[in-house]
């Protein structure tokens, strides 16, 4: 038998201490069993335990970063040398060889009994290599998945970043929520002192909308604010809108209607304005911009004035089929019909014409049928030809006074 300090005897004693059985004495059996039953020892899965411990202590990300940095390195020559010495049962200094032993443990090439740190046990490098390869492949797959998601993540975050810049600017602010839009308009109109301009190209007002607008605009009129509102010509066909216009006209507000489409806006004292969104493609239809830049607000107000000059006064009366202007031998068409005929002569689709005029395709078809009867045309081509020969195509429907309308 050898001396107590001989390596084989020490290895057997160490194995008995680790396993608690004392039945196996061969280092090979000890190595295999310790690998399969790592209870009480450090194994190739020690890193997973370190991750779990790090997560519990709030340092998981730091541990993961440190692990990635270390695991990305190849085994150092010192670690290869120490592994060879372990397999040959040569003495190991736990202090001097600590760094190399740490590398070997991370690679799953050795295990160490805490009670016998100077007697590390070598593990099968083929098995350790397969485990390491599996770990690396999983890590590469995770990183590839993250890389594939980076463009989508940056797009999502970029929208928030851009909106934050828009909100932080002094010139304009993006309002994406309907409640926020309404609240901001109510607040601005509530502080109006001189003028309120509104252009409403939407559909007919509901009862609730009429009540809210009547209260808001009525309060502004009571403070001496001059209120002007622009609607599409189709608004004359809605009873609720007509009742609202009649009520507000009696309190001093002015209304006009226009056949062609225009942009929605609210201008307060020519110092701030609210306009529809044409920037954020994914924004809902009620999204708006609150504009405070004086030059931009002045431009918006001038666009409103241009539409106002082209529009027809309205006091809440029902829609009239009488033409706005007359030709030399009597005009038979309405302003709406002439707009339809002009688009037909240009080859514009009826769908686009209906959208521009703010009417439905059914209403447009009704007007076209009336025009075919009026001109005695059996086809659209013949109607367009008859329109080209008609003196009514020369009627000038532009605003009669090119100057600025008085308030």
């Amino acid at each position: 038998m050898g001396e107590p300090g001989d390596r084989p005897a020490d290895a057997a004693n160490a194995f008995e201490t680790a396993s608690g059985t004392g039945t196996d004495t061969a280092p090979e059996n000890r190595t295999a069993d310790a690998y399969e039953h790592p209870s009480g020892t450090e194994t190739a899965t020690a890193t997973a335990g370190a991750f779990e411990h790090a997560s519990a202590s709030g340092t998981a990300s730091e541990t993961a970063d440190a692990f990635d940095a270390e695991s990305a390195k190849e085994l150092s020559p010192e670690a290869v040398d120490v592994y060879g010495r372990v397999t040959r049962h040569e003495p190991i200094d736990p202090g001097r060889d600590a760094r190399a032993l740490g590398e070997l443990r991370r690679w799953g090439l050795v295990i160490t009994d805490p009670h016998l740190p100077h007697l590390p046990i070598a593990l099968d490098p083929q098995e350790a290599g397969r485990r390491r390869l599996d770990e690396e492949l999983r890590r590469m797959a995770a990183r590839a998945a993250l890389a594939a998601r980076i463009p989508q993540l940056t797009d999502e975050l970029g929208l928030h970043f851009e909106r934050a810049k828009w909100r932080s600017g002094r010139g304009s602010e993006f309002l994406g929520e309907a409640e926020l839009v309404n609240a901001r308009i109510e607040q601005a109109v509530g502080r109006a002192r001189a003028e309120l301009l509104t252009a409403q190209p939407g559909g007919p007002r509901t009862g609730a909308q009429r009540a809210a607008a009547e209260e808001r605009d009525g309060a502004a009129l009571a403070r001496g604010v001059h209120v002007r509102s622009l609607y599409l010509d189709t608004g004359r066909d809605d009873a609720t809108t007509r009742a609202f216009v009649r009520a507000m006209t009696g309190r001093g507000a002015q209304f006009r209607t226009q056949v062609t489409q225009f942009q929605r806006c609210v201008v307060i004292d020519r110092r701030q304005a609210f306009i529809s969104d044409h920037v954020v493609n994914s924004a809902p239809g009620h999204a708006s911009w609150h504009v405070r830049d004086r030059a931009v607000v002045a431009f918006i107000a001038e666009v409103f004035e241009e539409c106002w000059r082209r529009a027809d006064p309205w006091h809440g009366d029902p829609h009239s089929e009488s033409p706005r202007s007359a030709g030399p031998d009597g005009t038979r068409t309405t302003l709406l019909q002439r707009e339809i005929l002009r688009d037909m002569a240009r080859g514009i689709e009826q769908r686009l014409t209906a959208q521009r005029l703010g009417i439905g395709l059914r209403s447009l078809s009704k007007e076209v049928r009336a025009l075919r009867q009026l001109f005695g045309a059996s086809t659209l081509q013949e109607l367009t030809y008859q329109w080209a020969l008609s003196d009514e195509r020369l009627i000038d429907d532009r605003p009669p006074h090119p100057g600025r309308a008085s308030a």
Side-chain angles (χ1 to χ4, degrees):
M1 296 181 63
E3 296 296 324
D6 289 345
R7 191 68 175 178
D10 288 348
N13 292 334
F15 184 77
E16 291 173 6
T17 302
S19 64
T21 62
T23 57
D24 293 327
T25 58
E28 293 81 6
N29 292 338
R30 172 188 172 194
T31 300
D33 190 62
Y35 199 77
E36 295 173 2
H37 304 283
S39 175
T41 63
E42 296 183 52
T43 70
T45 58
T47 304
F51 268 124
E52 293 175 2
H53 175 73
S55 299
S57 61
T59 60
S61 95
E62 295 179 4
T63 304
D65 292 342
F67 176 79
D68 287 344
E70 290 295 331
S71 64
K73 299 177 182 178
E74 295 184 8
L75 280 176
S76 65
E78 293 79 11
V80 175
D81 177 68
V82 170
Y83 183 79
R85 289 157 52 194
V86 171
T87 60
R88 296 190 297 271
H89 308 296
E90 296 178 3
I92 301 297
D93 187 338
R96 186 180 67 248
D97 299 323
R99 184 178 182 85
L101 286 172
E103 291 185 53
L104 294 174
R105 280 194 294 267
R106 284 192 292 273
W107 275 73
L109 289 168
V110 299
I111 56 174
T112 305
D113 189 326
H115 303 288
L116 299 170
H118 62 290
L119 296 175
I121 302 169
L123 301 177
D124 183 359
Q126 296 297 327
E127 180 66 24
R130 285 192 293 271
R131 290 174 180 267
R132 180 61 179 269
L133 179 60
D134 289 342
E135 292 175 4
E136 291 296 332
L137 290 175
R138 284 194 296 269
R139 188 176 296 111
M140 291 171 60
R143 290 187 179 278
L146 173 61
R149 273 189 50 78
I150 287 176
Q152 179 182 352
L153 290 171
T154 54
D155 287 344
E156 293 176 1
L157 298 176
L159 178 59
H160 295 289
F161 181 73
E162 291 299 326
R163 287 181 177 178
K165 291 198 299 184
W166 295 334
R167 290 189 178 95
S168 63
R170 299 182 59 186
S172 59
E173 178 183 4
F174 176 75
L175 307 176
E177 297 77 21
E179 295 78 8
L180 180 58
V181 174
N182 293 332
R184 192 67 64 82
I185 292 178
E186 291 288 338
Q187 181 184 41
V189 174
R191 296 176 180 177
R193 291 293 177 265
E195 184 182 52
L196 172 62
L197 310 176
T198 64
Q200 303 290 345
R205 288 179 179 271
T206 64
Q209 290 173 332
R210 172 194 169 183
E214 191 167 349
E215 179 180 0
R216 180 195 67 195
D217 296 355
L221 288 167
R223 296 194 307 271
V225 177
H226 184 59
V227 178
R228 286 187 288 158
S229 298
L230 183 65
Y231 289 88
L232 280 173
D233 192 64
T234 53
R236 295 174 181 253
D237 297 326
D238 180 66
T240 301
T241 306
R242 289 201 304 267
F244 168 76
V245 171
R246 284 195 298 269
M248 298 307 295
T249 298
R251 301 170 69 172
Q254 295 183 32
F255 297 87
R256 291 189 180 187
T257 62
Q258 180 174 305
V259 173
T260 57
Q261 187 64 263
F262 51 85
Q263 291 295 320
R264 184 192 310 275
C265 71
V266 177
V267 183
I268 301 98
D269 293 338
R270 299 184 184 252
R271 291 181 175 271
Q272 54 182 323
F274 295 86
I275 58 175
S276 298
D277 171 64
H278 296 282
V279 177
V280 185
N281 294 331
S282 60
H286 55 254
S288 301
W289 286 83
H290 187 185
V291 183
R292 298 183 182 87
D293 185 280
R294 292 293 297 276
V296 178
V297 173
F299 178 82
I300 296 170
E302 185 55 35
V303 171
F304 175 90
E305 294 289 357
E306 183 66 23
C307 293
W308 184 263
R309 287 191 288 269
R310 291 198 302 266
D312 295 318
W314 186 31
H315 304 288
D317 50 298
H319 188 277
S320 175
E321 294 297 330
S322 62
R324 177 180 175 185
S325 55
D329 55 349
T331 301
R332 300 178 297 170
T333 56
T334 66
L335 177 59
L336 176 62
Q337 290 174 337
R338 289 195 294 275
E339 289 289 341
I340 294 173
L341 288 168
R342 289 177 183 126
D343 277 8
M344 289 178 59
R346 297 187 187 102
I348 298 175
E349 296 181 21
Q350 291 188 1
R351 175 181 58 85
L352 299 178
T353 298
Q355 182 178 355
R356 181 177 71 86
L357 299 177
I359 61 177
L361 278 174
R362 182 175 299 179
S363 298
L364 187 141
S365 297
K366 180 181 177 181
E367 295 291 343
V368 171
R369 285 196 299 269
L371 287 169
R372 287 172 59 183
Q373 294 176 359
L374 181 64
F375 285 92
S378 58
T379 64
L380 295 181
Q381 290 81 359
E382 185 179 355
L383 174 60
T384 304
Y385 177 74
Q386 293 292 341
W387 165 250
L389 297 178
S390 172
D391 290 338
E392 295 193 20
R393 67 181 176 83
L394 302 176
I395 294 176
D396 188 1
D397 288 318
R398 291 176 300 177
H401 302 291
R404 184 184 182 90
S406 57

